[in-house]
Amino acid sequence: MLEIDAEKANQIIDDMQMHNYNCDYDRTIELYDKYHDVFSNDIFFSNKMLNEYELATHKIILESKPRNIMVILTNTCDLKCIMCHQDRLPVKNIDRKIVNIILDNLQYIEKLIWQGGEVLTLPYFKDILSKTVNYPRIRYTVITNFQNISDEIIDLVSKNNIDFIISIDSIMKETYEKIRLGASFERLEKNIKKLNDCMIKCESKVYLQINFVVMPINYKEIPDIIDFAYRHKFSSVAFLRCITEEESLKITKEYEEEVKAYIRLAAERADKYGIRIINTFLEFNNNDCDSNKAKDYIKNTTDEEKGLFCHLPWYGMLILEDNTVKPHSACGYTSFINVDNYNNINDIWNNEVMQNYRKQMLKYEYGCCIQECRLMLSYNTRKKFNK
């Protein structure tokens, strides 16, 4: 049997994925026929290859396992942020059985995201991380406010290159603590410094990102967050639109151009530092969901030759704290389904809702899907699907 190294395997799978993005499904199938025997002894790569093949052949019930999983472990949090309303909801924690099912299938996964609420408040979260680090092919991300992190987790993160997305909406103590009620700016900086020091000591490749929610109270700080990111070894900064029921926390239309100007200044500064800007503030606006752009896409993309609008239902899934599932956090179109009675990854992965998403894509009946999708107006995301 022909031997194949990881670099070559990744290149073949990248080629398959690009053919699928370009709707050239026959070429994906040709690569699968040529190489799938070569991959048979490697569970991770054989699953990725099978997954691309099943997308190319438009399977609805998949034999391949999910490659990307995002898990909302809890809706509990140690803060009460002014733009968040989770404290109004009943306290819910994901069923540990579902977590264990995920942990039993780590050999197939390439990207795994843990989020809350605040995951660092969970007493068993360190045990979860400890079990996952034996699978170095997975890219792990933890989304957190970083207020309460133990030295043990900092050490674990640094030694195993676990990425962190940290929510920081201001670098001014008074503003930061006004937005994130219950937080301490001094504690935030102290924890980041501990992590930075441990990263240097371990020579780690931890990827750090700041999530900055843009609001009237903080938008003039947009360029300054880049300097903070550079000082504290962050690789990227994401500017996010505030999605809330509270109108006073939203950027109104009259301030849009001023915010855009600040983001341009931030981008210039980031370029000097080698920091990546993720600008979803400009790419997503709730008011644009029924825009002419979406309507034109619906009108012009019903032709089967143009391929599938979205591949997310074939690649991964989001499991929420109430044990419900959908393909991605941006998917707001279809109903959720509760999976707490399911006992294996295959049943969760091929549940009724996931199958319905795939059917909608295959039947090209995704008009409402486009209008509800938070990724629709993002060129950097859309260009990956169909050209």
Side-chain angles (χ1 to χ4, degrees), residues 8 31 68 70-71 129 156 168 205 222 234-235 270 284 291 297 310 314 324 337-338 354 370 373 382:
K8 179 65 174 176
L31 285 173
N68 301 335
M70 181 175 185
V71 186
L129 288 184
L156 188 65
I168 306 173
K205 298 178 181 178
I222 285 173
F234 285 86
S235 298
F284 174 55
S291 67
Y297 190 88
C310 177
W314 281 267
T324 56
I337 189 168
N338 192 289
M354 295 296 292
I370 290 176
C373 182
R382 280 290 312 121

Side-chain angles (χ1 to χ4, degrees), residues 158-169:
S158 300
K159 288 179 178 177
N160 295 281
N161 300 322
I162 298 172
D163 300 337
F164 266 86
I165 297 177
I166 302 177
S167 301
I168 306 173
D169 310 302

Side-chain angles (χ1 to χ4, degrees), residues 58-119:
H58 295 178
K59 299 290 186 183
I60 293 172
I61 299 177
L62 308 182
E63 293 182 24
S64 60
K65 306 298 189 293
R67 292 158 59 181
N68 301 335
I69 300 180
M70 181 175 185
V71 186
I72 312 297
L73 289 170
T74 180
N75 66 356
T76 61
C77 188
D78 48 354
L79 305 181
K80 291 188 177 181
C81 301
I82 58 174
M83 63 286 196
C84 180
H85 302 299
Q86 286 198 156
D87 60 324
R88 302 178 186 176
L89 302 173
V91 173
K92 292 184 179 179
N93 297 311
I94 198 169
D95 192 328
R96 288 292 299 274
K97 181 184 74 172
I98 295 176
V99 175
N100 289 334
I101 289 173
I102 295 168
L103 295 178
D104 288 341
N105 288 274
L106 292 173
Q107 65 269 34
Y108 302 106
I109 300 173
E110 59 181 321
K111 186 175 182 180
L112 183 56
I113 302 175
W114 303 106
Q115 186 180 351
E118 176 51 57
V119 294

Side-chain angles (χ1 to χ4, degrees), residues 279-280 283-284 374-383:
N279 186 9
T280 64
E283 292 173 345
F284 174 55
R374 297 184 181 187
L375 303 180
M376 171 58 200
L377 301 181
S378 169
Y379 171 74
N380 288 330
T381 300
R382 280 290 312 121
K383 70 179 181 179

Side-chain angles (χ1 to χ4, degrees), residues 216-232:
I217 194 175
N218 67 357
Y219 75 90
K220 293 183 179 180
E221 292 185 51
I222 285 173
D224 298 328
I225 195 70
I226 304 300
D227 297 319
F228 181 92
Y230 177 69
R231 290 197 305 271
H232 295 289

Side-chain angles (χ1 to χ4, degrees), residues 264-277:
R264 285 193 293 270
L265 288 174
E268 292 173 5
R269 201 170 297 183
D271 189 56
K272 294 178 183 178
Y273 293 143
I275 293 174
R276 178 187 175 213
I277 294 291

